[in-house]
Amino acid sequence: MSVRWLRYGYRLPLLLGHLLVDLPLVLLLLTPLTAGIELRGEPLGHRAIRLWQGGLMRIFGFRLRRAGTPLPGPAVFVANHVSWLDIVALHSQRMMGFVAKREIAGWPLVGWMAGRGETIFHQRGSTESLGGVLHAMLARLRAGRSVGVFPEGRTRDGREVGPFHARIFLAAVEAGVPVQPVALRYGADGQAQTQIAFRPGESFPGNFLRLLGEPARSAEVHFLEPIAPGAADGRRRIAELARARIVAAMARRD
């Protein structure tokens, strides 16, 4: 029997327990009855989601490491985009409503959790949809909540960080909130980016099952120096600065 099948042998029961036992507990903590309960300044439901997402990462064999501190209060968090795991990794460290492609809403497990985690779904290529996304982002930021964005617009093969679309930063400029870049690295010094990324033609279920059998690795979430409101001239400059800081963090060797 291969090592991969041995991993499936003990990870699948853990995954089932996480879905059948832990997930209903999270749902109980997301009801209106617990809406006003906080734990160390964080809503109990948000803490439950973060713990559940962290547990999912561990089931997949990831040892989570956080560097830096996520900003409190309303902010726009922007990260490089490698995999569906990016949302899980970020949610394990800081509650935020993500902007994600509409297809994710239909993905098993991840789509459902994304919806519960206040995700704003966007139809790629639709100007009307993008306008609605920016409006929703602005409303959430003004309400004191945070938003997570992948400015590349799509996942890549893990070999490089693509260009950042500047328009998505408009909500941060208009709301007057900081932007915090976040570098996501999988494996030692980010050497497993290409293994985590979708392979050509690989579906979400195929990627999900493949990663479930992968060797244990680290997953690093680097919260980098934020860009304060007014510190950069316009959304394009903010996009350039955010990308530059993420690229520099990706190239760093520990």
Side-chain angles (χ1 to χ4, degrees), residues 208-232:
F208 186 96
L209 289 174
R210 177 171 64 80
L211 294 184
L212 190 61
E214 286 286 300
R217 295 187 173 99
S218 62
E220 302 173 2
V221 185
H222 295 259
F223 288 93
L224 306 173
E225 180 186 355
I227 303 166

Side-chain angles (χ1 to χ4, degrees), residues 2-32:
S2 70
V3 176
R4 173 173 287 273
W5 282 104
L6 287 174
R7 295 191 195 105
Y8 285 135
Y10 69 83
R11 287 179 183 172
L12 277 172
L14 290 174
L15 179 60
L16 288 174
H18 204 50
L19 294 173
L20 300 178
V21 179
D22 299 340
L23 188 54
L25 292 175
V26 172
L27 289 176
L28 288 175
L29 297 176
L30 291 174
T31 63

Side-chain angles (χ1 to χ4, degrees), residues 170-208:
L170 181 61
V173 173
E174 293 196 359
V177 301
V179 172
Q180 185 165 29
V182 187
L184 299 173
R185 305 202 309 179
Y186 298 98
D189 296 329
Q191 294 178 2
Q193 304 291 95
T194 55
Q195 283 78 26
I196 302 304
F198 283 91
R199 291 174 177 174
E202 188 175 48
S203 65
F204 168 74
N207 182 269
F208 186 96

